[in-house]
Amino acid sequence: MPSDMRNLSEQVYNLIRRDILQGLLFPDMKLQIETVSERYQIGAVPVREALNRLSAEGLVERKSQRGFFVSPLKIEDLEELVRTRIWLETLALQESISHADEAWEEALVVSFHRLSRTSRRLMPGDGREASEEWDIRHKEFHMQLIDRCGSSWLLNFCATMMDQAARYRNISMNIHSSQARREGALAEHQAILDAVLAHDAPLACRLLGEHYQATLAALRAPLPDRPAK
């Protein structure tokens, strides 16, 4: 593929992926090549390449003879996702604490400060950019928690699961915005940070698991049915 075409494919991949994770492209929505191309003002060939790539990641489904669709969301899939995140991220967190150093702890404190500052500024009804910033800071904090686990494979798995979880969270927040949950999550992040800085791995891992379970409970509200487009 020519370099210009690769650049366009990468560009539209990032745009579609962002809109899926932000809940702007709704589950089961049909992604017609021509419509997507018009939406992002990018040609059909790089759009098709981007959709195939997103299909490999599980964010898009390619159905035989029917084309591309945004992957559906199911509560049982979210429950499995949360369960798997707890298994892997508590392992990664325990390893990170065992390899803690001053540089990692300082980076973790800075990451939490950025997240808390963004959380305090975020108000109900804020636009996409504010929500995107919170997602970025939130992922940065959770990835920093496990940064010293010593396994790039584990970090990549965890990053992928964080992105999948963000999609559920954003769609739920778009439907049932909950400032109380965001504020509660900030307190939970603070408690996790305090346990990590105290090198109390059992407490930190327990709090991380409870944090994900609390988020799961907040996302259990049924999503409304929407016709495929």
Side-chain angles (χ1 to χ4, degrees), residues 16 20 25-32 36 51 54-55 58-72 167 227-229:
I16 298 170
I20 291 175
L25 294 175
F26 212 80
D28 298 313
M29 179 180 179
K30 185 167 186 179
L31 298 170
Q32 294 179 319
V36 176
L51 291 176
L54 289 163
S55 178
L59 292 174
V60 167
E61 284 190 347
R62 184 173 186 176
K63 300 181 181 180
S64 179
Q65 308 299 321
R66 296 184 59 198
F68 295 97
F69 294 79
V70 178
S71 294
R167 184 175 172 228
K229 297 181 180 178

Side-chain angles (χ1 to χ4, degrees), residues 85-155:
R85 287 189 73 188
I86 292 173
W87 289 341
L88 294 183
E89 289 186 41
T90 53
L91 171 62
L93 179 57
Q94 183 173 334
E95 287 298 308
S96 288
I97 294 173
S98 72
H99 296 98
D101 57 26
E102 186 175 337
W104 174 64
E105 292 180 2
E106 288 179 355
L108 190 54
V109 170
V110 170
S111 180
F112 172 76
H113 174 69
R114 290 171 176 163
L115 173 61
S116 61
R117 182 176 58 193
T118 303
S119 298
R120 287 193 298 268
R121 290 202 308 255
L122 192 62
M123 300 298 293
D126 280 353
R128 184 176 70 187
E129 289 186 5
S131 181
E132 279 188 72
E133 182 183 359
W134 187 89
D135 277 342
I136 291 169
R137 299 305 183 194
H138 184 252
K139 183 177 180 180
E140 285 176 351
F141 175 72
H142 277 276
M143 289 301 296
Q144 189 63 46
L145 281 171
I146 61 177
D147 184 68
R148 290 294 192 272
C149 72
S151 170
S152 59
W153 283 94
L154 186 52
L155 287 171

